[in-house]
Amino acid sequence: MHPIFPAALSLALGAAPILAAAEVFEDFTGSGPAAWEYIADGVMGGVSKGEARVLSEGPERAIHLTGTVSTENNGGFIQVRRLLPDGLPEGTKGLRLSVRGNGEAYYVFLRTKEMMRPWYYYNVAFTAPEGWETVEIPLAALTRSHAHLAELVDPAEAISIGLVAYGRDHAADLMVREITLY
């Protein structure tokens, strides 16, 4: 059976998709990369600069976020973000990212429907080592940016996911070749 068939059947029956086992959410092939948008702090007056592009490494593809993060002028981030119009599947407990980078700390930012301000988010840090590694991020490990947000993320309420270089002056160099939901 095709791996997305159960989710498609669930949608056809009018039910929310239920995550039965780990499934690939993004591998940056096909039309997937077009869903990701680069954003920097310039939208708020910051001066960080960078880019995100999809690279091919043999048969695999990866999104590559590079640039310079600057905290000058109230700035401090560059990111690549994907909107989630249908949320994450019911039963999602976390994310597995296949990452490589420059040994710096990066973040997963998750935004939900409850967020009324652009600077509200849930986040968790991870390190991107020089060689490919899998980083496991339980949704329960995400911390909220403001106390009035729910303590735990409801996967169905997710509206976007971001891969972010954030919060300090540094050179960003992050590659992600796959995101799996579990």
Side-chain angles (χ1 to χ4, degrees), residues 14-168:
I18 296 175
L19 190 65
E23 65 179 55
V24 174
F25 169 73
E26 179 66 81
D27 63 4
F28 303 99
T29 62
S31 61
W36 293 84
E37 170 187 24
Y38 171 81
I39 303 168
D41 56 20
V43 299
M44 302 180 317
V47 296
S48 299
K49 301 282 185 214
E51 69 175 352
R53 56 192 172 117
V54 175
L55 302 176
S56 295
E57 287 194 346
E60 296 181 326
R61 293 168 57 112
I63 197 150
H64 192 196
L65 177 66
T66 58
T68 303
V69 179
S70 172
T71 55
E72 289 182 38
N73 206 30
N74 296 317
F77 75 88
I78 62 172
Q79 74 171 306
V80 60
R81 178 179 69 181
R82 178 178 172 169
L83 299 179
L84 304 169
D86 299 321
L88 293 171
E90 181 182 334
T92 300
K93 300 292 183 214
L95 312 167
R96 285 188 191 102
L97 286 70
S98 178
V99 302
R100 182 173 86 181
N102 59 353
E104 294 284 343
Y106 295 93
Y107 295 83
V108 169
F109 275 32
L110 196 68
R111 293 182 39 81
T112 63
K113 293 177 185 176
E114 72 178 313
M115 299 180 175
M116 296 180 273
R117 304 274 190 254
W119 50 88
Y120 290 0
Y121 52 85
Y122 292 91
N123 79 87
V124 66
F126 64 92
T127 300
E130 290 185 20
W132 287 109
E133 285 189 18
T134 299
V135 175
E136 191 163 299
I137 299 174
L139 293 184
L142 294 165
T143 59
R144 57 192 174 162
S145 63
H146 290 78
H148 76 278
L149 299 175
E151 287 188 36
L152 297 175
V153 172
D154 177 352
E157 295 292 309
I159 60 170
S160 71
I161 183 171
L163 305 169
V164 187
Y166 167 72
R168 66 194 188 293

